[in-house]
Amino acid sequence: KNLLNFAGGIISARDRVHLQMSEHRMGVFRQEVIEGLVGLSIGGIEDEWLRIKRQKSTEPNLPENYIREFIKPQKSWDPDNPPSLRDAISKSVSIDEASELLEAGLIFDADIIHNNYQESDSENWNVDVVLHSSNLPEMRIEFEHWLNKIWHLWATEEKPRRQSIKLYDSLFQIYASTHASASLPPEIIWGFGVARIIRDGRTIDMPVVEQEVEISVESSGDIILVQRDRPLTLNLKPFLELEFTNS
């Protein structure tokens, strides 16, 4: 299968022979892994072998505030990390609201932790109460409904978008390195066919045929890979390294 093999250094001048694609410090991107990502197209246009559009991450539609305040805080919404509820929260409510919570059995006397008298309004008394999620069955049911419907639908759609963003960022770093290198820029290789062989405890996992490609960024932000004006090469070095007699 096709694969994208982005390697540091010039392959023709390697000090050592690489036996596995994973040895290349700038990354390996296999077609079967990246194909189908949001904003990514492979082939279909003459000389343009890959194009990826810049994506922006999204966030799920949030539940009502009385549910949201129980959700454990996160730095950012992660489609691989479902949110969960905090055991308890503390909030300030009016004395009337606290009485209603007590009468409904949603809090107990021990959950009233502090009284605040508002000097600016002698008729306005607030109390700080602790609300336990275990005492709020309706809130937990609505949270589960939001999680299983809205959040999971968002996560299913967001995962390939985040993978696309990660691929884009990796390719952009490679693009930047090709323009910032004080010496020879890193070589970018598109490989065809993969040889996977284990011999004497050593493993070959490398493309059989290699083609150099160029990377560029368009004004729209799209990153594209195009074929360089170089011939295809047959990658025999791993086999010679392991002394395959028929290589």
Side-chain angles (χ1 to χ4, degrees), residues 169-202:
D169 290 344
S170 297
L171 293 178
F172 189 85
Q173 289 178 11
I174 293 170
Y175 167 78
S177 70
T178 64
H179 291 74
S181 178
S183 57
L184 289 174
E187 187 181 54
I188 306 171
I189 296 296
W190 188 298
F192 298 90
V194 178
R196 293 189 178 97
I197 302 172
I198 299 176
R199 180 172 180 174
D200 298 330
R202 303 178 72 186

Side-chain angles (χ1 to χ4, degrees), residues 36-183:
L37 293 182
V38 178
L40 174 70
S41 58
I42 298 176
I45 301 178
E46 185 178 1
D47 295 332
E48 183 180 297
W49 288 19
L50 179 146
R51 175 182 292 266
I52 183 169
K53 297 181 178 296
R54 184 166 48 192
Q55 303 294 315
K56 292 184 178 180
S57 61
T58 67
E59 295 184 351
N61 293 326
L62 298 178
E64 297 293 336
N65 186 62
Y66 69 91
I67 301 173
R68 192 186 317 167
E69 61 188 359
F70 272 95
I71 296 177
K72 291 181 179 179
Q74 305 180 59
K75 291 184 178 180
S76 62
W77 292 99
D78 182 353
D80 292 313
N81 184 25
S84 58
L85 294 175
R86 293 190 283 185
D87 292 334
I89 64 170
S90 174
K91 63 183 303 184
S92 179
V93 299
S94 68
I95 193 68
D96 290 337
E97 289 174 309
S99 298
E100 292 175 359
L101 291 170
L102 280 168
E103 291 177 5
L106 301 180
I107 63 172
F108 301 96
D109 290 337
D111 296 323
I112 302 176
I113 58 175
H114 183 64
N115 289 344
N116 284 324
Y117 178 68
Q118 306 294 326
E119 294 182 357
S120 60
D121 186 353
S122 59
E123 296 181 355
N124 184 16
W125 283 85
N126 282 353
V127 293
D128 294 336
V129 300
V130 176
L131 295 172
H132 299 270
S133 57
S134 58
N135 292 336
L136 304 171
E138 292 184 3
M139 184 277 294
R140 296 201 312 272
I141 290 173
E142 292 190 40
F143 168 76
E144 291 296 332
H145 176 79
W146 171 82
L147 181 67
N148 294 327
K149 298 292 184 180
I150 297 176
W151 187 90
H152 276 290
L153 177 60
W154 167 82
T156 299
E157 296 175 348
E158 185 67 10
K159 284 179 182 179
R161 181 177 292 106
R162 296 289 178 93
Q163 292 168 354
S164 180
I165 293 172
K166 183 178 180 180
L167 174 61
Y168 183 97
D169 290 344
S170 297
L171 293 178
F172 189 85
Q173 289 178 11
I174 293 170
Y175 167 78
S177 70
T178 64
H179 291 74
S181 178
S183 57

Side-chain angles (χ1 to χ4, degrees), residues 180-234:
S181 178
S183 57
L184 289 174
E187 187 181 54
I188 306 171
I189 296 296
W190 188 298
F192 298 90
V194 178
R196 293 189 178 97
I197 302 172
I198 299 176
R199 180 172 180 174
D200 298 330
R202 303 178 72 186
T203 300
I204 292 177
D205 180 32
M206 290 291 289
V208 178
V209 178
E210 298 180 338
Q211 172 66 58
E212 288 188 46
V213 294
E214 293 181 347
I215 186 169
S216 62
V217 179
E218 296 185 336
S219 59
S220 63
D222 291 8
I223 294 177
I224 61 172
L225 297 179
V226 298
Q227 178 181 354
R228 294 192 67 182
D229 188 19
R230 301 282 180 83
L232 291 168
T233 59
L234 191 60

